[in-house]
Amino acid sequence: MSSLLELVRAGRTAEVVGLLDGLTDAERRGHVAELKELRKELRKEPWNSQARRAYPALHAAGAACQTGAAGAASWLAAADMRWSGASPAVLLHVLGDREADWLADVAHRLAQRPATAWVPYELMAGLVRLAGCAAPTTDAYVRGWAEHVHGSWQCGGTLLDRLRKDPHLVPLVGALFETDDIGGRLGWPDHDGPDSWTGALAGLTAEGVLDRRRTVDACVARLLRGGPAVDLRLFLRLLKALELSRDEERERIADWLALAADAASPVAAHAQSVLAALALDGELAPGRLAEMSGAVLFRSEKKLVRAQLVLLGKVLARNADAAGELLPAVAEAFGHEDSDVQERALKLVERHLRKADSQELRARLGSDAEQLIPALRARAARTLGVDPMPAAATVYAEVLPPVPEPVRLSPAPRTAVEVAEEVGAVLASGDDVGAFERVLDGLVRHAHDDWAALAEALEPVVSRQWWGGGDTAFAHRTDDYFSPSHLGFFFPSHGLDLLLATVRGRVRTSTLRRAVTQETGRRACVHGALAGAFEARLWEVAYRLATKPLPLLLSTPTWSTGLLEPDELVDRLDTYRRLGAEVAAADFAQALLRVRRSDRAAASAAAERAAALGTAEGARLARWLTAPEAVPPTHGRVTAGSRILVEYGDVPELCDVGEDFPADFQPLARPVDDLKRSRGCPHWDAAIYAHWLTLLPERRELVAARLLGDLSDLAVNDDRGTAAILPALAESGGEAGDALRLGLAYGLGARHPEDRLASVDALLVLAARGQLDAAGLGADLGELVRRGAVKPLRLAESARTAASTGAHGTVWGMLRHTLPVLLAELATGGGPAPARGLGELLAVAAECAERSGARGELPHLAGAADRRGSSRLVSQARRLRAALAEEVAA
């Protein structure tokens, strides 16, 4: 062992540096191989005391002994020495005697690495200083520079003072405008003083240190490029701090037009204000203003649209000659989704039409007016002096999505290699129930046919798991991890891990036996019955893998919904009979719960075949298939604060055969009391819900009842993600009762857009299947809004999204039962809360009534429509009343 290596191992960095100072390049190259070997050795246990002691010296020695720039940069930025490496000062010392070009090459190579490589800025900047080269303008270097300059307050002076002294200021500031996600680093503090980035850059521009034109152009270009909101806020602040002159604003009219049309709302609002000032001063031609209006009036932000209409009104009042060009631009707002915007635009046309009156203009405006709501169309016809536009001759047709068809699952993978590939895919993606069931069946089949081949094929997958390495010291830890007392509950990925660990021999048979035979009652939460049945089957499969492998799973579903065809189950029981295999209790119980009984003819024919098998399981299946149609369990509603929940009693059909089910399946027959949810419920990941639903594919109401508390959290506690189960519930079988309807109501009032969208999907699926109780759902929504569980604005967004698909009749059928509850509350002065957002809900209802041709009286609507003022609530109540009272064309 060389003296250098001894010093490195001992961690004597100072002596290593002294020794390296006296070595020639050839001698340094001679040490590279042994240093690499030491690095490889330390990688095996990087956090032990020896490694932590040696790494700083190794880092410095390796960098100094590399004679190529690429090798030196790679060594300096090595991930294994990132947290225990030498300080930048030491590294700069050992590299300081190299040629300038070599140092510049290393600096630029380090700067080209991603910011996540965490190369110290001090090291890169020090190399740039030693080399006397231009500073890199890469993402990593610019971010490091920005943080360093802003964080160097100990050096004294303001940020403006420190930037003014930087020799590389101009190129690095230019690079700031090209760096993505930089706003979070530069946005604090949020004022524009000399210690903020916006104030400092504006000050340097005013001093002439930074070229003003170049800075303004870069700022505008950055806003045009778009990006994260935090970046746009920063550069918009900077643009405002630069205080552009009127000449500078006039030079960039094309940029303001582009920003007003397509930029994020705050940026578009600034561009709109600049263009407005130019227009009011007569410095924006009417044609350009019309171009701008066409883009802005197409936007969804009502504030921008209303501001644009105000601007057009001011310009028309000042310049009568512009009416010919601007009134068609005003008419662009006739197609806006907000009827208040439509009315504002029509008022502008009414006020200024005489300034540019011509038959050609009237005809053009009359064509645009066809987009107005019915009440405004008649008013526009009178204003324009044209024949009233007739009501649409076509009969309204509701547009609903196609009824979803269940997907038949493919057979289990044919080879062990295919099983391994699909297991890896399921572990990576996780949520596909059909894929999970297929690989589960594949594991069982191939473990029965050729255990050794399966174990060999699974090796690449197993080796990637935390417990799958070659170190046998992990064996006892794996068994402890999968013991019921430790794991307690698991998700699908845990279930696959359990089976893989069983195949690998990492779980003791005694552990699996204990899991299969232990007493139930571990799960006190409302999900316990579903979780217990799901887990019992996986524990049983693992136990049988280790003791008496099953030839196949009886309970693998035929369809993606979890349903199992009765003929297919009979065929599988026949296979068991021929092989003399012992049926697994949980597997068979799950198969019975999944087998399709809704087709009584098919069930009866399969029952005859099952009885002819002459086995106990065949006879039991025959009785199950021919049992009388299920009687729904008794249920009732309960309230908890602002929530409405559902309680279910015993499930008669499951109670009748309950004693024949394994212990972990029997709680499925017991009452559901959601008020007794455990605070320590461990089932926080909604990904498991789809697997629970396939436990009872023809009894979705029982699953929905156990998930109702979680679904209510979407609206009440602003939780996220639970609504993903609602479309699957809508596609499943069985009664769509109170629990599903209330769960859907909470989803429509969810805080997060993705949850509301999933709920709308479920709403449309139920409507397409003819299973939506629109009146009941509407009444539930009214009560939940009244109680404060659902916010009207969120419900309005969901209703608008559903209506935009063409389901106006469905949405109206729902809202016509929601609104009377809220309007009655408003009429009796029940409080201001129901009135908030009620105007938006009325707007959606009015549009749906207009589109679907709904007519008739709506309780309490007249009281809202007759109120004084022109608030959103009042105007939309009047609009809805007019739509419902409109005479049907003969």
Side-chain angles (χ1 to χ4, degrees):
M1 182 185 299
S2 68
S3 56
L4 176 62
L5 200 62
E6 289 179 355
L7 292 173
V8 169
R9 282 188 178 278
R12 295 155 69 175
T13 306
E15 294 179 49
V16 167
V17 171
L19 181 59
L20 291 171
D21 286 343
L23 297 181
T24 65
D25 282 353
E27 290 172 331
R28 292 184 183 189
R29 281 195 298 269
H31 288 292
V32 170
E34 62 180 2
L35 292 172
K36 286 183 176 179
E37 285 299 317
L38 176 58
R39 179 181 172 189
K40 189 183 300 183
E41 175 188 330
L42 296 180
R43 270 199 203 122
K44 296 177 182 177
E45 295 186 76
W47 301 111
N48 64 24
S49 58
Q50 179 186 351
R52 291 199 301 271
R53 182 172 59 249
Y55 264 132
L58 177 62
H59 197 199
C65 291
Q66 295 283 349
T67 56
S74 179
W75 190 281
L76 287 167
D80 54 331
M81 291 182 280
R82 182 176 301 162
W83 308 115
S84 302
S87 68
V90 171
L91 295 173
L92 291 171
H93 177 82
V94 299
L95 297 174
D97 59 350
R98 303 298 182 94
E99 295 180 356
D101 290 345
W102 188 92
L103 291 171
D105 193 1
V106 173
H108 281 265
R109 287 177 183 273
L110 290 174
Q112 287 168 4
R113 291 179 175 266
T116 52
W118 295 101
V119 179
Y121 168 76
E122 293 79 3
L123 175 60
M124 294 186 288
L127 291 170
V128 167
R129 185 179 64 255
L130 292 173
C133 63
T137 54
T138 63
D139 184 81
Y141 194 91
V142 172
R143 290 177 187 276
W145 169 74
E147 289 184 357
H148 174 77
V149 174
H150 195 267
S152 300
W153 53 270
Q154 301 95 331
C155 300
T158 63
L159 177 62
L160 173 61
D161 298 327
R162 297 193 294 276
L163 287 173
R164 192 185 289 120
K165 299 173 185 177
D166 196 305
H168 304 288
L169 175 68
V170 173
L172 290 174
V173 167
L176 281 177
F177 293 96
E178 304 295 329
T179 304
D180 291 328
D181 297 318
I182 196 67
R185 297 170 186 263
L186 308 185
W188 186 87
D190 58 0
H191 58 73
D192 293 326
D195 246 338
S196 71
W197 277 96
T198 51
L201 293 178
L204 292 169
T205 303
E207 294 173 9
V209 177
L210 295 175
D211 181 77
R212 181 174 179 82
R213 185 177 188 85
R214 183 176 298 176
T215 303
V216 173
D217 285 345
C219 198
V220 172
R222 185 65 183 81
L223 294 174
L224 284 167
R225 198 176 83 198
V230 66
D231 284 4
L232 297 179
R233 283 196 298 269
L234 171 75
F235 292 109
L236 180 60
R237 273 178 52 203
L238 175 57
L239 185 65
K240 293 177 178 178
L242 290 171
E243 297 180 343
L244 272 61
S245 67
R246 180 51 58 88
D247 288 340
E248 289 173 322
E249 291 176 341
R250 193 185 306 110
E251 290 174 3
R252 296 171 174 81
I253 285 178
D255 294 329
W256 306 131
L257 289 171
L259 291 172
D262 298 318
S265 291
V267 179
H270 176 73
Q272 185 185 45
S273 67
V274 173
L275 291 169
L278 292 170
L280 293 175
D281 287 347
E283 298 183 79
L284 186 68
R288 303 302 292 272
L289 179 57
E291 177 188 350
M292 169 197 177
S293 300
V296 174
L297 295 176
F298 188 73
R299 296 183 66 120
S300 60
E301 300 96 327
K302 296 175 187 176
K303 186 176 181 180
L304 292 177
V305 172
R306 290 168 182 165
Q308 191 66 23
L309 290 175
V310 169
L311 171 61
L312 287 167
K314 290 180 178 179
V315 173
L316 284 167
R318 297 184 183 191
N319 184 2
D321 295 338
E325 288 184 273
L326 295 185
L327 286 180
V330 172
E332 295 280 348
F334 287 175
H336 198 275
E337 64 179 15
D338 186 352
S339 64
D340 289 346
V341 170
Q342 293 183 14
E343 186 171 13
R344 284 170 181 256
L346 181 57
K347 285 180 179 178
L348 274 180
V349 171
E350 291 170 341
R351 189 177 303 129
H352 300 286
L353 179 62
R354 58 183 175 77
K355 296 179 180 178
D357 201 359
S358 69
Q359 283 302 116
E360 181 181 356
L361 179 60
R362 286 175 178 268
R364 182 174 177 182
L365 295 177
S367 176
D368 290 337
E370 293 179 6
Q371 304 173 81
L372 292 166
I373 62 173
L376 295 180
R377 279 204 301 267
R379 177 172 153 187
R382 293 192 298 271
T383 298
L384 298 172
V386 297
D387 293 333
M389 285 146 277
T394 58
V395 177
Y396 171 75
E398 185 83 348
V399 179
L400 293 172
V403 175
E405 295 293 335
V407 177
R408 180 179 281 273
L409 299 189
S410 302
R414 292 178 297 176
T415 67
V417 173
E418 289 177 352
V419 171
E421 290 174 350
E422 296 197 24
V423 167
V426 171
L427 287 172
S429 59
D431 295 341
D432 190 297
V433 178
F436 174 81
E437 292 289 344
R438 286 185 66 249
V439 300
L440 195 63
D441 191 30
L443 284 169
V444 168
R445 289 173 182 265
H446 288 279
H448 177 272
D449 295 341
D450 192 340
W451 181 289
L454 177 63
E456 181 181 355
L458 288 172
E459 185 60 32
V461 179
V462 168
S463 64
R464 292 196 293 269
Q465 304 306 101
W466 66 265
W467 49 265
D471 189 354
T472 56
F474 276 105
H476 74 281
R477 293 175 58 185
T478 306
D479 184 75
D480 291 342
Y481 174 79
F482 285 113
S483 66
S485 59
H486 176 270
L487 198 56
F489 71 97
F490 48 72
F491 298 112
S493 60
H494 294 138
L496 283 183
D497 261 341
L498 171 65
L499 300 185
L500 295 178
T502 302
V503 172
R504 184 66 177 269
R506 289 294 181 84
V507 185
R508 296 187 182 97
T509 304
S510 59
T511 299
L512 298 173
R513 183 184 301 110
R514 188 167 64 254
V516 171
T517 60
Q518 68 180 356
E519 291 295 322
T520 57
R522 291 185 286 115
R523 309 167 187 88
C525 68
V526 72
H527 310 114
L530 298 170
F534 175 78
E535 294 167 22
R537 175 170 167 250
L538 292 176
W539 282 116
E540 181 186 68
V541 169
Y543 177 62
R544 290 294 297 267
L545 282 178
T547 56
K548 193 185 299 182
L550 301 168
L552 52 86
L553 284 179
L554 295 172
S555 57
T556 302
T558 307
W559 302 100
S560 56
T561 57
L563 274 176
L564 170 58
E565 289 299 327
D567 277 338
E568 195 166 332
L569 178 53
V570 174
D571 290 341
R572 294 173 187 174
L573 284 174
D574 191 33
T575 300
Y576 268 72
R577 181 190 60 80
R578 286 187 290 100
L579 295 175
E582 179 186 342
V583 171
D587 183 35
F588 185 50
Q590 177 63 91
L592 291 178
L593 293 176
R594 282 179 171 168
V595 71
R596 185 163 66 97
R597 300 194 296 166
S598 55
D599 185 340
R600 303 304 292 179
S604 178
E608 291 182 12
R609 289 185 56 214
L613 293 177
T615 64
E617 289 78 19
R620 186 176 170 198
L621 174 59
R623 291 195 303 272
W624 180 257
L625 290 173
T626 56
E629 193 166 330
V631 178
T634 59
H635 73 280
R637 294 188 170 201
V638 293
T639 58
S642 62
R643 307 176 201 237
I644 302 174
L645 302 172
V646 173
E647 288 182 339
Y648 272 91
D650 289 333
V651 183
E653 61 170 329
L654 298 183
C655 288
D656 292 343
V657 293
E659 66 277 3
D660 295 331
F661 280 117
D664 280 311
F665 280 75
Q666 292 175 14
L668 292 171
R670 295 172 188 159
V672 178
D673 182 358
D674 202 36
L675 289 178
K676 295 179 180 177
R677 287 196 299 165
S678 169
R679 291 187 178 181
C681 173
H683 305 104
W684 49 266
D685 190 346
I688 191 65
Y689 297 166
H691 293 267
W692 289 349
L693 179 57
T694 61
L695 293 172
L696 299 164
E698 286 192 318
R699 302 167 186 81
R700 59 182 168 190
E701 187 69 6
L702 298 181
V703 179
R706 295 183 184 276
L707 299 181
L708 186 55
D710 304 274
L711 291 167
S712 70
D713 286 336
L714 292 168
V716 178
N717 292 337
D718 294 349
D719 281 7
R720 185 195 296 266
T722 312
I725 192 60
L726 287 172
L729 281 165
E731 294 178 30
S732 192
E735 178 193 10
D738 275 6
L740 177 54
R741 195 166 60 245
L742 282 167
L744 181 57
Y746 288 119
L748 293 172
R751 162 68 176 82
H752 300 284
E754 64 270 25
D755 288 313
R756 294 199 297 270
L757 188 59
S759 305
V760 168
D761 287 343
L763 172 76
L764 297 177
V765 168
L766 287 171
R769 298 183 70 186
Q771 297 172 342
L772 178 67
D773 179 2
L777 177 60
D780 287 343
L781 282 166
E783 184 61 23
L784 289 173
V785 171
R786 190 188 68 79
R787 297 176 66 88
V790 170
K791 293 179 172 56
L793 278 174
R794 297 176 185 175
L795 176 57
E797 285 299 314
S798 295
R800 182 176 287 111
T801 301
S804 68
T805 67
H808 297 95
T810 297
V811 176
W812 168 246
M814 176 182 74
L815 293 182
R816 69 187 298 269
H817 295 279
T818 302
L819 290 171
V821 179
L822 307 182
L823 293 172
E825 188 84 358
L826 185 68
T828 59
R836 291 195 59 198
L838 183 53
E840 292 300 322
L841 208 55
L842 284 165
V844 179
E847 181 182 359
C848 290
E850 292 163 354
R851 297 289 188 97
S852 64
R855 300 292 183 270
E857 295 287 333
L858 189 70
H860 308 292
L861 177 62
D866 290 337
R867 300 180 92 176
R868 294 181 178 179
S870 58
S871 67
R872 178 77 165 162
L873 188 153
V874 173
S875 66
Q876 294 305 314
R878 292 169 181 169
R879 175 189 174 189
L880 178 56
R881 182 173 63 177
L884 294 176
E886 184 178 342
E887 293 184 6
V888 181

